[in-house]
Amino acid sequence: MSAGRPRRFVLVDPCLRGPGSHPFHYAALVLAAAARRGRECLLVAHRDCAAAPAGCRVLAACTHSAYSKYTLAGGLDRLDARGRPPLLPEPPWTARHRARRRAERVAAFAREIAPAIADLAAGDVVLVATASELEAEGLARAIAAARPPRGVGWHVQYHLPILAGFADDVARQEGRLAATRAALRTAAAAAAPHEIIHHATTAELAAHYA
């Protein structure tokens, strides 16, 4: 890092593939706000991203997006509208396959964002948007590998629900909430002594990740 460089804002959105999408519009607004505050901005996007908001560097690096059947949010497709699982149980190898794919995605995300966080300094900020629990774990693993200085702001923002149905249907999905909490505890332990601050787009969604 050169002496006296501006403080940096790194926006990571593995779902951002280019203009015309909600992630791109969100990124343009957030990056513009950061630039007005004098931040040096970097956007880390999906590897298919070929354009960035004006005046911003882009690193097209992410192989996978949060819209994956292997995330807890993606697993909603296996439940009915009230959060009930299928009547027929899954074969035992399905869970092993899913666990392996989840681990691969965590490792890939950590590896792919490593260049973006390699030379951060106190006062810099990193926001992972449109994230799942896998991106939270991947960010924590990248932090552990990079060993950045204290004082970097680490943030993860969730846009996707992990529960189906209504308030009365939450109890039968306690296992999904427990899995989310376990993933976030794993992330917290890996990132320590750094702290990752978690955000959601609504109060209702925040309860899914609490």
Side-chain angles (χ1 to χ4, degrees):
M1 183 191 75
S2 60
R5 72 154 170 82
R7 288 183 176 178
R8 188 172 298 163
F9 175 67
V10 180
L11 176 62
V12 183
D13 194 331
C15 298
L16 198 160
R17 296 172 183 260
S21 64
H22 169 73
F24 188 90
H25 180 66
Y26 177 81
L29 294 175
V30 173
L31 290 165
R36 286 195 298 271
R37 291 176 174 264
R39 294 275 177 169
E40 176 186 285
C41 295
L42 171 65
L43 172 64
V44 183
H46 192 273
R47 64 181 179 182
D48 292 341
C49 182
C56 179
R57 292 188 299 125
V58 61
L59 173 63
C62 299
T63 304
H64 308 287
S65 82
Y67 298 110
S68 165
K69 65 182 180 180
Y70 298 112
T71 66
L72 287 167
L76 288 177
D77 291 344
R78 296 188 293 273
L79 308 179
D80 69 12
R82 303 298 299 274
R84 292 175 290 231
L87 294 178
L88 295 177
E90 293 182 329
W93 59 82
T94 302
R96 293 194 296 269
H97 172 78
R98 187 179 303 123
R100 184 169 63 252
R101 293 301 189 199
R102 285 172 59 86
E104 290 171 355
R105 279 157 172 73
V106 170
F109 187 73
R111 182 175 62 251
E112 290 158 357
I113 67 170
I117 69 169
D119 62 343
L120 296 180
D124 292 341
V125 173
V126 176
L127 168 62
V128 182
T130 323
S132 74
E133 76 283 357
L134 301 186
E135 281 73 44
E137 289 192 58
L139 173 63
R141 187 175 298 186
I143 293 170
R147 303 181 66 180
R150 298 282 192 96
V152 177
W154 306 99
H155 301 264
V156 175
Q157 183 165 273
Y158 305 102
H159 293 233
L160 304 173
I162 62 167
L163 300 177
F166 305 96
D168 292 344
D169 302 316
V170 171
R172 71 167 58 92
Q173 300 173 79
E174 179 58 36
R176 298 177 64 77
L177 292 173
T180 303
R181 297 184 192 114
L184 299 190
R185 284 196 301 268
T186 297
H194 297 270
E195 179 183 6
I196 300 174
I197 300 174
H198 303 273
H199 308 266
T201 52
T202 67
E204 292 79 9
L205 185 59
H208 293 200
Y209 294 88

